[in-house]
Amino acid sequence: AQKITQTQPGMFVQEKEAVTLDCTYDTSDPSYGLFWYKQPSSGEMIFLIYQGSYDQQNATEGRYSLNFQKARKSANLVISASQLGDSAMYFCAMRELPPNNAGNMLTFGGGTRLMVKP
Amino acid sequence: NAGVMQNPRHLVRRRGQEARLRCSPMKGHSHVYWYRQLPEEGLKFMVYLQKENIIDESGMPKERFSAEFPKEGPSILRIQQVVRGDSAAYFCASLGDSSNTEAFFGQGTRLTVV
């Protein structure tokens, strides 16, 4: 069974500083994908970044990077140079990837509310 | 992602009425997932469908809720005899067949039961 844990219900960060949002996961499947989403106050779910369990390097997308530590089963999101527009809920999610590529559901953590201070 | 279309964006229903939520996945995607989000909570999986098949409905309540993804047309999440506890945001996500990395959501339907 999959399980995703986000231990920080809320976090503050000063504008222009970096912030790390924690995510740990539990799965017995060796093949899986890890996702981060941003949900601003308007409510939509915005895909940020993806990390595959077999990827050799940590994923990066602009100011977002994923600190993937497979042995620790953690996939923390790092946002560099925070901006006021980064204030939102952030969700970590995981999906097991069976060999036939049929796919399974995304399982979400409870989310972290990030507030960027000017 | 604008490619996953959900409608309506907002839906108000009186207790006892039916709610129909529609989701058109991104072009070329045949995997559709429905999630429910209660206020101040994360997304909870409801059902996973492929064209004409329900693959996993383990997250869907046994009564009043049903989902379909016909050969032609959008996926439909149907809630019969709605109650106030059904008030939530319902999100649809679609994934492609050839890539595991694309998991895009629609903008959601906010259902309010009065």
Side-chain angles (χ1 to χ4, degrees), chain A residues 70-84:
Chain A
K70 194 170 182 177
R72 294 185 177 182
K73 293 189 175 179
S74 73
N76 298 340
L77 178 71
V78 180
I79 306 174
S80 62
S82 298
Q83 302 172 357
L84 295 179

Side-chain angles (χ1 to χ4, degrees), chain B residues 3-50:
Chain B
V4 181
M5 303 301 295
Q6 286 188 252
N7 66 83
R9 291 288 309 278
H10 300 274
L11 182 62
V12 178
R13 284 288 177 266
R14 295 187 183 278
R15 281 178 294 172
Q17 290 185 320
E18 179 179 286
R20 279 184 178 242
L21 288 63
R22 295 175 185 79
C23 169
S24 296
M26 287 184 71
K27 187 177 181 181
H29 285 191
S30 60
H31 304 267
V32 166
Y33 300 75
W34 284 94
Y35 289 82
R36 176 163 63 178
Q37 186 181 32
L38 296 172
E40 301 301 315
E41 293 188 10
L43 279 74
K44 302 297 184 189
F45 167 75
M46 297 182 74
V47 61
Y48 163 37
L49 308 106
Q50 293 181 22

